[in-house]
Amino acid sequence: MKELDSEMNSLVVIAPAKINFHLEILGLRDDGFHELAMVMQAIDLADRLMFRKNSEGKITLSCDIKDLSTSDDNLIVRSALLLKNCFQLKGLGADIRLEKNIPIGAGLAGGSTDAAATLVGLNELWELGLPIKELEGLACELGSDVPFCLEGGTQLCFGRGETLEPKSKASSSMALILVKDPSASVSTPWAYGRYREKRCQQYLVKESDFESCRKSLREASWLNPLWGGCLPPLRNDLQQVVEPVTPSVQLALKLLRDIPGNLGVAMSGSGPSCFALFPDIASANSCYLQNKKLFEQAGLMSWCCELRDEGVTIETYQ
Ligand code: C5P
């Protein structure tokens, strides 16, 4: 990482998306959130955020797409204000420009990774020197997936998603095809609410039962040693309630399952984006090129992605 110097007044941060290899709902917590056991994986589909210091103490946000609010309800602005208010940084401001590449409302943590990038970017731009543990604390306040996005890679995520146990760097060469209907989006609270409606009789209640689920995930052969030839079984409990009522998810899963050579297909997070795994980028890319037109004709956007070992990263200083 380049040394900070007094000249530095802008920087660019890369904010990668994530997929879920495993999303298991264990029960309901006292705070109303669900107790989860997940494995999240960062991928190389990423937003870019440009931060420039301003001396008026204001936070401004602009974005290259129209259908995203750039006001105080945007998680980027909320993250910047949280940092400013926590440390009483009255005079410090930033003009933030978002290049949005991750689809919105897709189950890929697009908003969460932008929030994580804002914490990292402003920590650097404003020369706050906060350690990652402190940024994680702030990240928890912004959303359940934000702490994961800070460091990315492959991580076990427990609690409401914010209690992290990083796995060693993915030595896997696996890659994926990701698809999403641009006109569909799924609200995360709606997906969890629907799951609760349908499945709450099966919820575990005792902490000892939660812990035994965590233990079996920690010990799962496909994670130990990571990628030792075993494939992730790809479990997503939210898929059970989102897929039956979301035609674009049904279509996406069908098209992906029909691709010969895929190693497994699932929805990511609360959807509606879906992905198929392949052994390496060459096979993923060749299948992607063969099917790109088909996805297009079906009205789906598509991407070919690699797994990523890191979370948000500072790309350039100016
Ligand atoms: O934490 P985040 O803002 O991403 O959560 C969005 C919503 O998703 C919550 O308000 C809640 O309805 C649901 N949720 C949940 N249990 C979790 C995470 C999210 O019920 N562990």
Side-chain angles (χ1 to χ4, degrees):
M1 198 179 280
K2 194 178 150 185
E3 292 270 305
L4 278 176
D5 59 51
S6 54
E7 305 283 296
M8 199 229 2
N9 61 14
S10 73
L11 51 83
V12 173
V13 180
I14 302 299
K18 62 86 186 161
I19 55 168
N20 293 82
F21 284 149
H22 188 94
L23 192 166
E24 183 179 355
I25 299 177
L26 306 181
L28 200 61
R29 298 153 51 96
D30 293 341
D31 61 8
F33 280 72
H34 286 83
E35 184 70 27
L36 304 176
M38 301 193 284
V39 179
M40 299 220 267
Q41 171 67 56
I43 60 173
D44 68 356
L45 174 66
D47 290 342
R48 284 179 95 235
L49 289 89
M50 284 138 276
F51 298 88
R52 185 170 291 279
K53 254 186 207 161
N54 75 43
S55 50
E56 298 101 72
K58 283 193 192 140
I59 304 297
T60 69
L61 174 65
S62 62
C63 178
D64 63 347
I65 58 163
K66 276 187 268 131
D67 42 355
L68 192 66
S69 161
T70 51
S71 317
D72 287 10
D73 57 337
N74 186 298
L75 212 46
I76 294 174
V77 180
R78 282 177 46 207
S79 309
L81 292 176
L82 178 69
L83 206 55
K84 249 175 90 76
N85 295 337
C86 266
F87 297 94
Q88 304 187 342
L89 310 168
K90 285 206 177 70
L92 287 174
D95 300 317
I96 308 170
R97 171 92 190 145
L98 168 65
E99 185 186 301
K100 194 77 198 149
N101 302 312
I102 305 170
I104 301 165
L108 298 169
S112 300
T113 193
D114 292 345
T118 304
L119 295 178
V120 168
L122 293 181
N123 186 35
E124 207 68 16
L125 189 76
W126 291 341
E127 301 176 37
L128 305 178
L130 300 172
I132 188 78
K133 279 280 155 228
E134 198 144 354
L135 294 182
E136 270 178 19
L138 294 171
C140 286
E141 292 184 38
L142 293 161
S144 308
D145 290 346
V146 184
F148 166 82
C149 295
L150 285 170
E151 297 208 83
T154 313
Q155 303 199 50
L156 291 157
C157 310
F158 298 124
R160 50 181 186 100
E162 87 295 8
T163 306
L164 306 175
E165 295 181 17
K167 298 301 291 181
S168 54
K169 289 199 171 187
S171 56
S172 171
S173 56
M174 276 199 297
L176 57 139
I177 296 177
L178 183 67
V179 296
K180 183 193 175 270
D181 177 347
S183 65
S185 72
V186 173
S187 136
T188 306
W190 173 84
Y192 279 103
R194 188 171 162 83
Y195 190 89
R196 186 175 169 179
E197 230 173 81
K198 303 264 170 206
R199 300 286 149 90
C200 64
Q201 306 89 328
Q202 300 162 19
Y203 282 2
L204 302 174
V205 178
K206 289 193 280 186
E207 170 54 30
S208 57
D209 291 333
F210 293 164
E211 189 49 33
S212 54
C213 292
R214 291 180 200 122
K215 187 167 180 285
S216 49
L217 188 57
R218 281 184 196 110
E219 290 169 0
S221 56
W222 61 277
L223 280 165
N224 294 292
L226 190 58
W227 321 113
C230 296
L231 294 173
L234 297 182
R235 169 173 175 175
N236 182 345
D237 288 351
L238 290 175
Q239 188 179 325
Q240 298 166 22
V241 295
V242 174
E243 182 182 351
V245 293
T246 316
S248 80
V249 170
Q250 295 161 13
L251 176 65
L253 291 169
K254 185 197 174 317
L255 293 180
L256 292 171
R257 282 186 190 120
D258 285 349
I259 303 176
N262 81 73
L263 302 176
V265 168
M267 191 179 84
S268 181
S270 52
S273 66
C274 295
F275 64 91
L277 290 176
F278 293 87
D280 49 52
I281 187 66
S283 58
N285 203 36
S286 124
C287 292
Y288 174 67
L289 294 175
Q290 281 166 33
N291 287 277
K292 199 169 184 288
K293 251 224 150 68
L294 194 67
F295 297 138
E296 244 170 67
Q297 283 161 356
L300 300 172
M301 289 177 78
S302 59
W303 300 262
C304 183
C305 306
E306 290 188 87
L307 309 186
R308 194 179 141 108
D309 284 340
E310 299 169 299
V312 299
T313 45
I314 296 175
E315 190 184 55
T316 48
Y317 293 90
Q318 279 151 17

